[in-house]
Amino acid sequence: MDSFTTGLQLFDSTIRLSAPLLLACLAGLYSERAGIFDIGLEGKMLAGAFAAGAVATWFGSAYLALLAAVLVSVALGLVHGFASITHRGNQIVSGVAINFIAAGTTVILGQAWFSQGGRTPSLPNAARFNPINLPGAEAMRGVPVIGPLYYELISGHSILVYLAFLLVPFTWWVLYRTRFGLRLRAVGENPAAVDTAGISVPWLRYRAVICCGVLCGIAGAYLATAQGAGFVKDMTAGKGYIALAALIFAKWRPVQAMFACLLFGFLDAVGIRMQGHPLPLIGEVPVQFMQALPYILTVVLLAGFIGKAIPPKAGGVAYVKER
Amino acid sequence: MSQPFAKLPAWADYGLLPLINLIVAFLVAGLVVLLVGESPIDAAVLMVKGAFGSGDGVGYTLYYATNFIFTGLCVAVAFHCGLFNIGGEGQAYIGGLGVSLVGLWLGNFLPWWLTFPLAILASALVGALWALIPAWLQAKRGSHVVITTIMFNFIAASIMVYVLVGVLKPAGSQAPETRVFAEGGQLPGLGWLLDLVGLSMRSAPLNVSFLLALVAAFLVWVLIWRTKLGYEIRTMGFSPKAARYAGISELRIIIITMMISGALAGMMALNPIMGAQHRMQLDFVAGAGFVGIAVALMGRSHPAGIVLAAILFGMLYQGGAEIAFDMPNISRDMIVIIQGLVILFAGALEHMFRPSLQRIFYRLGRAKNRTAAAAIAGGNQ
């Protein structure tokens, strides 16, 4: 029974930790499927988290905070679009620039506005997205196996976690069952064909970048107002890059993206839990190794030792309309 | 819209355009300063005064510039091959291992002029090896070098924390750093250089690795524009297809380029470790690897441009530290914003002002031709 509870708690924190990864990963999916590489997921998430933290502090409303996060993140996404779609700049360079701008601006503005070393003040529960107890969770708690499973694992997350996981089938539906999705995929594979069909390539790609911004904003708001209570300097800590890795690992497909994010979230959860606990046979694993594990795993996965990931064909290439 | 594009003269392409991009980046940075409630002009004056107003200011500026020359060259060499090496940060961090091992061990019984070349070799070798893996994965397995080098930055950071906290820390010490190197592991300062121009360096850590950085910049110029290998690297960067057609081995060039790039990043570790602190501390790279991206973009991947851009960023670092005394709201992180803006305007948006500039030059050229033609016609009558 004890190991059952431990396992449940492990999976529970897996879900919490993978939610922001999943949101960022799906964000990247919209953008990259349309042929716009996005290294800037990290920066957009960070800027979104800061906007959420600041607005929640001023107005005390989690939903306003979410809105602010989305707006800021979309604005940065539009900068990325302006550079890489309108001016056909290098998409990777532009993404890197956005990461630095976000990293610097959040700290400078945070320090100037709140004077707490770059963080925003701690948020009261009223200004956060709090865990929701699903109907019947308390009542079912006593039921063996299913009860704790429902109570611990499925119930008791913030609404953004449910949103993140609901976005998986939604994204699948958009991508594979709507006209917009078809065009989105087409513009990432063969923009000339889309152009020939009389559809504007830039406008389609801008919409993809906006979708990406919205989801990154939600991910940022989750970090600052659901998982944490306020913005902390550099709080994304590489999550944007891990999400990118998960996206490649999932070969740019939504359902697989969810499993990849759950895997990375699980590794994170195991790493946190294993700190100071020696393993049988191996002995105590250094914390640093567990922290590096997602990155090592990503490199191994990217190296194609487990299947080859083929990116959208027109990814990273600006479209030049023939004259 | 078929626009006649005049070719820009070289001075406009390599001087004017980067300058415009830079000015725009600083104007936007000025807006952030305004948003924080300080005067951008006062901040700029403070910064320039802090960076060049005194002997130790100049010393610090050039000390930081040394780091950025190395990392800028690292990014630039890879750029010439069409590769984007974001891993300079990690390669420099790991390169510190090479420097420290030489400093800790050989520094005990060899003079500095013997340890220095050995430390150069060690740091370059470790940095190159750290870049070798992403290079091999890119060339052989097709995994994107951008993503792998980012991952390798994180892995390097974890390894170095492990090594500094668990292995190299002297017994009984709390701080995650090595012991101070013996005499032979310390590089001499360049106080005499500043004395020549009548400045006193005082406590600034400028040291001989600055000269090494200048030599490295010259060697990179020789490599890229005066050797067969450099020609192959540039061919690969311009057109991988043409390179393949010409019988240039993609695998070989990618691996060699990335190893040179990594070696340059690794050598950056000499400056803070052997030159300034005489010990290896946690996070001694402090973002210099990333500054290298901005420096390389601003210097247009040319060593001369990189040295100038590195000095500019050295000024920002040193002047930025000085501003923080008078304007507590503006910390070092302001540099990160400027860095990002420079990367945005000089890198991703480098084409934004080009068409309008070309149009202006085209009009100027046409006007000149017309007056010349009128003069000739007038002469004939």
Side-chain angles (χ1 to χ4, degrees), chain B residues 4 48 55 69 103 150 170 246 304:
Chain B
V48 174
I69 293 174
I150 290 175

Side-chain angles (χ1 to χ4, degrees), chain A residues 37 39 79 82-83 87-90 92-94 96-98 100-101 103-105 107-109 111-113 115 233 237-238 241-242 244-245 248 286 288-289 291-292 294-296 298-299 302-305 308 323, chain B residues 1-3 5 32 35-36 79 84 86 136-137 141-144 146-148 150-152 154-155 158-159 161-162 165 290-291 293 297 328-331 333-334 336-337 339-341 343-344 347-349 351-352:
Chain A
F37 279 160
I39 295 273
V79 171
F82 181 68
H87 286 288
R88 301 183 205 126
N90 186 320
I92 291 166
V93 173
S94 162
V96 170
I98 282 169
F100 284 127
I101 292 171
T105 316
V107 177
I108 291 282
L109 292 185
Q111 172 62 23
W113 290 343
S115 312
K233 179 182 176 179
Y241 298 120
I242 299 226
L244 211 56
I248 298 169
Q288 290 85 17
F289 178 75
Q291 283 166 348
Y295 309 109
I296 298 172
T298 307
V299 172
L302 287 187
F305 293 120
K308 195 163 172 60
R323 290 156 200 263
Chain B
M1 44 158 261
S2 61
Q3 184 72 42
F5 281 146
V32 179
L35 210 58
V36 166
F79 267 155
F84 195 177
I86 308 192
W136 184 82
L137 289 174
R141 316 280 320 183
S143 49
H144 206 298
V146 170
I147 310 280
T148 32
I150 290 175
M151 296 298 142
F152 268 65
F154 286 107
I155 298 172
S158 293
I159 291 179
V161 172
Y162 177 73
V165 173
F290 296 123
V291 178
I293 301 170
L297 285 168
N329 276 344
I330 299 177
S331 59
D333 295 281
M334 193 67 215
V336 181
I337 303 183
Q339 190 182 322
L341 290 168
I343 295 175
L344 184 68
L349 285 171
H351 302 305
M352 186 160 70

Side-chain angles (χ1 to χ4, degrees), chain B residues 95 98-99 102-103 106 114-124 267 270 274:
Chain B
V99 180
V102 170
L106 297 172
L114 279 178
T115 31
F116 188 37
L118 291 172
I120 295 174
L121 283 181
S123 60
M267 275 148 70
L270 290 162
M274 269 178 96

Side-chain angles (χ1 to χ4, degrees), chain B residues 29-64:
Chain B
L31 286 183
V32 179
V33 176
L34 268 183
L35 210 58
V36 166
E38 301 280 3
S39 153
I41 297 169
D42 289 354
V45 170
L46 271 176
M47 175 173 280
V48 174
K49 218 184 263 173
F52 293 117
S54 64
D56 54 339
V58 175
Y60 268 104
T61 299
L62 293 180
Y63 163 74
Y64 291 125

